[in-house]
Amino acid sequence: MSSARSVALDPGRSVVEQLRERVAAMESRMEIKAAGEPVPTLPGLAGLMSLHAGATYAVDSASLALALAAGASRAGEWVGFAGWPDFGAEAAAELGIELSRTVLVPDPGEHWLEVTAALVDVLRVVVLRPPATVDERTAAVLDSRLRTRSAVLVVQGDWPRVEARLSLEGSTWSGPAAGAGQLEQRRAHVVVRRGARPARRVELAWPGVRPVAPDVPRRVREIHRASG
C-alpha cells in the first residue's frame, strides 16, 4: 500500500517556509475552479449534500472527515490533513483516498493557521483539526483564502463559519454472530444541518459509506422463501 506524504520538516527552519516551498512545487498540478463550483463527493453522500469550492464544512468525527475528502481524492484531486497525528492510512485508503496524492502534516504546532492556509493554496480539500478555539476573525482569514483558491475546508470540531455541519447519530456495529473476530460493519445516521433549515439525515454503512437498504419485512421474506 502506498503511504500518505507525511511532511518531514527541518527543525532548524521555519515550518511555514518549508511547507510553502513544497506547495510551490505542486502548484502547477492544481486546476483552479471557480468558487461555488461543485467538488466531487462519495456516491453515498451525493443525495444528502454536496461540497462547493470556497466553502467550509464542520464534522464531529474522523469517519465523516475522511468521507468528505474521499470523493475529491477518487476524482484525482490532491487532499491534505493538518493536525492528524493519528491519521489512519488504512481507513483512508479503504474509502478510496489516494495516499500518493495526500499531504499529511500531523502536528502543525503553533503555526497551524499559516500551515492550513498554505495547504489551502494548492490542495482541493484540506481537513483540519484546530488545536484551539477559533474566533470569527481567524475563520474570516481562511474564508477569504478558500474563495480565492477555490478549495474546500473540512473542520473536525467547532468552527464559527460553515456551509453545513455533519454529525453521526445512532452508530451501531455488527460482526460475527458468535461474538469473536473483527467487527464487519458500522451503521449510523448522517445528519446535515444548514443554518435554520430542517436537518436532513440518511442511514449509511461503513466501510464504503453506502446507503443502507430498507429492511425487508419478515413476512415478505417468508413468502419469498416459500415461493422459491
Side-chain angles (χ1 to χ4, degrees):
M1 179 186 302
S2 58
S3 60
R5 300 185 180 217
S6 180
V7 180
L9 301 175
D10 179 355
R13 297 178 56 205
S14 162
V15 172
V16 177
E17 178 185 341
Q18 293 177 74
L19 188 56
R20 283 177 176 162
E21 288 175 0
R22 293 167 187 244
V23 164
M26 296 165 54
E27 197 156 13
S28 61
R29 305 173 190 172
M30 183 175 177
E31 177 187 352
I32 301 300
K33 293 180 180 287
E37 283 192 11
V39 173
T41 56
L42 291 177
L45 294 171
L48 183 65
M49 63 159 293
S50 58
L51 296 180
H52 291 92
T56 301
Y57 301 83
V59 298
D60 69 351
S61 70
S63 298
L64 285 175
L66 290 172
L68 288 189
S73 183
R74 283 188 182 185
E77 302 282 8
W78 281 74
V79 300
F81 295 80
W84 280 61
D86 57 348
F87 177 79
E90 185 174 348
E94 194 171 57
L95 281 174
I97 292 178
E98 177 51 60
L99 299 179
S100 65
R101 292 195 306 272
T102 299
V103 177
L104 173 63
V105 185
D107 182 11
E110 64 183 32
H111 300 291
W112 66 270
L113 181 59
E114 292 92 335
V115 167
T116 304
L119 292 176
V120 163
D121 275 352
V122 71
L123 306 179
R124 180 64 65 217
V125 178
V126 176
V127 183
L128 169 68
R129 279 182 184 160
T133 301
V134 177
D135 57 25
E136 289 277 352
R137 182 177 180 181
T138 300
V141 170
L142 278 180
D143 280 350
S144 176
R145 199 70 161 256
L146 289 167
R147 289 191 295 271
T148 299
R149 302 302 297 178
S150 298
V152 171
L153 179 65
V154 177
V155 179
Q156 185 182 347
D158 293 329
W159 197 261
R161 298 165 177 259
V162 295
E163 179 73 17
R165 298 180 186 275
L166 286 76
S167 57
L168 292 181
E169 293 183 355
S171 184
T172 59
W173 291 88
S174 62
Q182 295 183 340
L183 294 170
E184 296 175 347
Q185 185 185 80
R186 178 189 189 186
R187 287 187 176 192
H189 283 93
V190 176
V191 183
V192 178
R193 296 178 172 87
R194 296 174 181 268
R197 304 179 194 175
R200 298 185 63 193
R201 53 175 41 81
V202 65
E203 188 177 15
L204 299 177
W206 278 256
V209 190
R210 61 188 187 280
V212 175
D215 290 332
V216 179
R218 179 179 178 183
R219 178 60 179 163
V220 173
R221 293 198 301 266
E222 290 174 348
I223 293 173
H224 178 74
R225 285 200 298 267
S227 62

